[in-house]
Amino acid sequence: MSPLSPHGSPPDLSDLPEPPELSGALAALLPDWLPAQRWFAGKDRPVDEVRPASLTVLAGPDPLLVHAVVDVVQGDRTEPYQLLVGRRSRVPEVASAALLGERFYEASGDADLTAGLLDRMAAGGSAGTLRFAAEPDATLEPGLRSRPITAEQSNTSLVYGGQYILKLFRKLSPGLNKDLLLHRALQSAGCKHVARVVGSISGELHGEPATMGMLQEFLPDAVDGWAMATTSVRDLLADPDQPAAEAGGDFAGESERLGAAVAEVHADLATALGTEPADGDELDRTVRAMTERLDQVSEAVPELAVHAPALREVFEAVRAHEAPISLQYIHGDLHLGQVLRTVNGWLLLDFEGEPAAPVAERHALRSPLRDVAGMLRSFDYAAHQRLVGQPENADVTRHAMEWARRNRAAFCAGYARAGGPVGDPQEHADLLRAFELDKAVYEVAYEHANRPDWLSVPLAAIARSTDGSE
């Protein structure tokens, strides 16, 4: 039985039972296999148990493709994940990391089987509780093979024939995924800074609706913002005597255009989904959340604790902020790796928000200055990434800081020029500084847990900001 019938419509395989051993195999094999996957978010503690929650046959019997939702138990935390499980009489050439024992494998890299996902969206219909659909204004071309994008981490993306890209959300949450919600809203507002959504896969998560995947137009000639920025830094540091403004790879013009694009996205989100004024307790809640994060991270990272009094002073100063604050949907995890430069301008990607944050927190309305702060921190990371692990060199560090200051200022100027919801970010210096430092505290926690060699980047930024040298 193939994923598609001769007439192009996916056959109904919902009554084809999954192999009786699959449920037990997943429960036995996944506790050791999951922590090795880049998209698995639970690396901070051991996996106690994996419970298959739903198994839906999408193709079979040979080759077999099963859509699996599993509940991963880690102490007092249970979180659902999505997998594609394949089986063939002869296991195809897949990465060794994809093998699940001797009989099954994680099938997102199997181009023959994953072609059926696009075909099902093109044809519409369902399989078990899964629903496949094209967007109302889209007509999809079926029959395209896929290839996975290896650089993606928190999710898995498949590119179909250079025309579409399907993001499979690995860690699932009930309700409409924020990424899909905001992309649809931005399209309705005519936003020119997002790739068009053309299809989706939805299903159920313990009886509640949930988004499984989002299909968008693929832009093969787009360039990653992080790659562009770090190339600019590399070219500048190759000639330490050259002023940043005169460097051949100067990035400031692109930074300004990026700032304008972010402002326009914020304005379109406000138009499509509305805004609301912050109530009188919003600043208190903000300060409380920042100081609670500071206390937690300081306890785990002694190097941060020495800066805690100065940070607490910056956070407490937010209570005196007098300018009105408007809250709205924002990106929530904005950095240079979340933007693409195309021939027509900048695009923003991945509107899910911070992957580690609870769903309610990701959907909470926030100040657009949070996104601005995230991008400013990303410029600092881009400037210093070539210095990590290298001997200290005052001239090189000074040159890197010159690049960061120039591009941070250009980004804010572009945002102000485009008339974003907060106007000129620099006019909210106290709030922007607090958001930046709160983001740096988060980065300290992340680097301490995942990349200790990078811990110096956020710590140095905190030191510069709190001792008055920045």
Side-chain angles (χ1 to χ4, degrees), residues 104-452:
F104 301 103
Y105 58 96
E106 211 290 325
S108 57
D110 189 327
D112 293 330
L113 287 178
T114 54
L117 301 178
L118 173 62
D119 296 341
R120 285 181 174 275
M121 282 183 280
S126 61
T129 61
L130 296 176
R131 291 171 294 282
F132 301 80
E135 293 293 286
D137 60 345
T139 300
L140 303 180
E141 178 183 343
L144 302 178
R145 289 169 59 83
S146 74
R147 61 175 175 85
I149 292 183
T150 56
E152 188 127 7
Q153 294 187 10
S154 60
N155 295 297
T156 296
S157 286
L158 307 176
V159 174
Y160 288 87
Q163 293 176 237
Y164 311 113
I165 181 168
L166 172 64
K167 179 193 286 187
L168 294 171
F169 299 107
R170 290 296 193 168
K171 183 179 173 183
L172 300 175
S173 58
L176 183 63
N177 188 282
K178 184 191 170 199
D179 201 9
L180 182 55
L181 169 69
L182 266 57
H183 269 93
R184 284 174 171 167
L186 287 167
Q187 280 181 214
S188 72
C191 183
K192 61 184 180 181
H193 298 296
V194 290
R196 181 171 166 241
V197 176
V198 291
S200 65
I201 304 172
S202 57
E204 291 185 3
L205 191 59
H206 302 297
E208 296 185 59
T211 306
M212 303 291 174
M214 178 177 74
L215 187 72
Q216 292 180 272
E217 290 184 336
F218 181 64
L219 303 164
D221 297 324
V223 182
D224 175 78
W226 174 259
M228 292 180 65
T230 53
T231 297
S232 170
V233 174
R234 181 200 65 193
D235 293 347
L236 177 63
L237 296 186
D239 185 0
D241 296 325
Q242 180 178 222
E246 299 174 11
D250 183 30
F251 192 65
E254 290 295 347
S255 296
E256 183 174 2
R257 285 185 280 273
L258 177 57
V262 172
E264 290 171 13
V265 168
H266 284 163
D268 287 337
L269 284 173
T271 298
L273 297 173
T275 66
E276 63 181 43
D279 61 32
D281 295 329
E282 177 63 25
L283 293 178
D284 287 337
R285 288 192 293 268
T286 298
V287 172
R288 191 159 55 248
M290 291 190 293
T291 53
E292 286 175 358
R293 188 202 303 270
L294 173 61
D295 291 341
Q296 292 171 358
V297 180
S298 295
E299 186 175 345
V301 186
E303 298 94 327
L304 177 64
V306 298
H307 303 291
L311 286 167
R312 191 168 285 106
E313 185 175 338
V314 172
F315 296 157
E316 288 293 335
V318 168
R319 298 184 194 276
H321 185 78
E322 295 182 352
I325 299 174
S326 181
L327 306 179
Q328 64 171 81
Y329 267 106
I330 63 171
H331 184 282
D333 187 30
L334 191 60
H335 54 77
L336 286 163
Q338 303 279 39
V339 295
L340 292 177
R341 183 64 163 93
T342 73
V343 294
N344 296 316
W346 285 100
L347 298 183
L348 275 62
L349 313 171
D350 299 334
F351 285 77
E352 281 188 90
E354 174 50 52
V359 175
E361 185 176 320
R362 280 184 260 163
H363 279 270
L365 303 187
R366 296 179 177 275
S367 167
L369 285 172
R370 289 276 191 182
D371 280 347
V372 175
M375 188 58 74
L376 296 184
R377 289 295 310 131
S378 192
F379 283 121
D380 185 62
Y381 261 77
H384 289 89
Q385 58 92 26
R386 296 186 67 84
L387 281 59
V388 173
Q390 301 299 313
E392 288 190 21
N393 184 314
D395 289 338
V396 172
T397 300
R398 175 185 54 78
H399 223 36
M401 285 303 306
E402 181 186 6
W403 184 95
R405 283 192 293 268
R406 176 173 174 76
N407 285 277
R408 286 159 56 93
F411 178 86
C412 289
Y415 191 101
R417 172 176 59 81
V422 296
D424 184 351
Q426 304 286 21
E427 294 180 355
H428 307 270
D430 57 340
L431 197 53
L432 182 60
R433 183 187 181 205
F435 286 156
E436 266 201 83
L437 287 171
D438 181 48
K439 181 70 172 180
V441 171
Y442 166 83
E443 292 163 356
V444 167
Y446 178 86
E447 305 299 8
H448 176 74
N450 297 281
R451 301 188 302 183

